[in-house]
Amino acid sequence: MASVQMSSAAALLVLAIASIAGTSVAQDDQTPVVRIGRLGSVMGTMGETAWTGRPIYKFFNVKYAEAPVGRNRFLRPRSVRPWTGVMNATVPGRACPQRRTLSQDDPDAEDCLTLSIYSNNLTANRPVMLYVHGGAFVVGSAERFGPEYLLEKDIVLVVIQYRLGTLGFLSTGTKSIPGNAAMYDVLESLEWVSRHIRSFGGNPEDVTIFGESAGGHAVSAMLHSPRVREGLFKRAIIQSGTLFMPWVICQDPTEGAYEMASIIGCNMTTPAEIDRCLKNASVRDLVLAQDQHKRNEFSSPGYPKVAGACITVGGAYGNQSFMPVHPRESTYFRDVEIIFGMNSQEGLIFFNEYFRYALDSQPIEFDSHWDSLEFLKTVNIKFGSGAFVDAVVGYELLSKATWEEMDRANFSEIVPLFIDVAGNLALKYGSVEEANRFARALPGQVYLYNFDYVGPPSPVTPGFPYDFPNTVGHGDELKFLFPMSNVLNEEHTQMAKIMVDLWTSFAITGKPQADNVMPWPTVSNDLVVNIQGLGSVMGTMGKTAWTGRPIYQFFNIKYAEAPVGEQRFRAPISVRPWTGVMNVTAPGRGCPQRRTVSQDDPNAEDCLTLSVYSNDLTANRPVMLYVHGGAFVAGSAERFGPEYLLEKDIVLVVIQYRLGTLGFLSTGTEAIPGNAAMYDVLESLEWVSRHIRSFGGNPEDVTIFGESAGGHAVSA
């Protein structure tokens, strides 16, 4: 296997008293009490890990900020004040207001800015992992994300809550309701961890912030915001999230806020009057208004500008706002190690949102394939592809549906097409873009993954009414990091252990590693692949033509020694191993032909090379080997790039072979027997058989193809 480089049980203390940095800890068998510096004391409870039964000290929903109510509604949070007595943190507390909590008559509903802390050593100094839950910025709570898997490793886990929907994101463009309150909640939780996590055995200088979906967007926001001070976290993991998703950044927050104010029944006379009404509105009215606003936007023509659940750029505080400019316009890159990632069928949850809100969960009866084309164009617009829609639609059709399927125009049959489009536009393109931007700025510090392990049905995946086999949907990786509602069998448990190893090793060392998992390469513009038994090659990055998928490019790698001297006109000799790193970042020379004879190149015949293109160096994908044409007298690998074919999951190899007299001359003797070029092609196939695994290719699944003279060679 090629390596890729780019530039048990613990003893429970029944009774103990310890002192760390002025913090006292008292603990008994079930109700540990921790004194948090000058804040106060909290009483927790005990649990144990899922696989080895390690003890876990659990402290649920510890307040990190005061209740954001009254004049402080919609504003950044105020740090929690010290309390007297012992705060009971033995059971999960309230979630922040959302649709599912409206039936609860709770006068303190907005007092929800809390975090849950899990540790198995209150006197240690361990890396901290702070998790931000997802839920489209409108649902979610800390309660669902327990520590029973991650605390198998020596980390401290913190799971936070933040304001949701209108309470967390509404912006009228004024200083009274400026937007991004929820992002300041996340920031305040990080500050709390920095001040107090030592009380729970955590190291405040070794924090990894991670989140999924909307939680991933929040992590992305922490990376980009100048309001987040340096040193609050050392590493970040963004799971299926990015600020580069179209809907995450508000398109017109004030207009949406005013629509919601109107739905509530506010007097719309002046901005001050609107702000006053929203400050005094009931939680129920605010939540339901945002839900109605969302339905209106999804049902209307054009891109849905949903407010009250997105991040505001700029605003009343200008350069001092949370996000002064869009991240695409920023040249600031926080110097941390980062994992970006996504799941295979991300589009399922996103298309389901459109299906529910815009189509009222009813399929469309297409009268003809033209109707289905128009609907596909609408899906593109709804998920953010406003430009070049016709071209994008054409590509999607040609690559993801057959002509027969399009002609039948059956909604349920072509739903997978709509789901893929929604996932690419709503998430994947943006995630890859952000990962590449950070990789260019921070070479060797960025990792990228695509999760496609099929496990048990996920509680996150919606109850979509159409079959979608082998689904690995949005959030499906979470059940391998947290003990959600699924019961994992032995095979799935092994995957969970791998995921825990990868995530916690990254938090501990900065490198994601797990037993029996090959080294995970970083993303970089320059990358080095070690070809086992030969040597190393340095390639470069490119991207596909239509969707911008990253391409690892290695131009003109030698597969045979230069056929010179006694070897001219004869079968090639396999390339010998080399030392150092072969630079294959740019196209090399073509084999001698009429257009090159004017070049004075003493090494002209050293041209037996091949170019390799892949978008996953650790996969096991089918290989396509192309032999160029040119009447056996002209041509080179340089002209045949990967930008179209690498839209699909294959590895492309484009070879060169001797041309004209050097490749085909025959005097009928052993010295010049003929067909040297055909032996070149054969040698290139042998090279692929021996080495293509180094580039993510399957040597047992090779297709050779060629055009014109290249077709003759394939026939030969």
Side-chain angles (χ1 to χ4, degrees), residues 589-653:
R589 65 169 67 86
C591 283
Q593 52 198 278
R594 187 176 181 88
R595 70 178 176 84
T596 67
V597 293
S598 62
Q599 302 169 10
D600 185 15
D601 184 356
N603 299 313
E605 294 178 68
D606 191 5
C607 64
L608 298 185
T609 61
L610 46 76
S611 297
V612 185
Y613 309 102
S614 172
N615 45 36
D616 190 336
L617 297 171
T618 64
N620 189 39
R621 291 179 172 172
V623 180
M624 298 183 71
L625 184 146
Y626 182 70
V627 187
H628 70 76
F632 287 147
V633 295
S636 65
E638 182 179 357
R639 294 187 59 204
F640 305 96
E643 288 77 9
Y644 293 175
L645 288 171
L646 264 291
E647 291 285 356
K648 298 299 181 179
D649 292 339
I650 59 101
V651 174
L652 176 64
V653 178

Side-chain angles (χ1 to χ4, degrees), residues 15 24 51 318 459 498 610:
L15 183 63
S24 64
W51 304 317
I498 289 171
L610 46 76

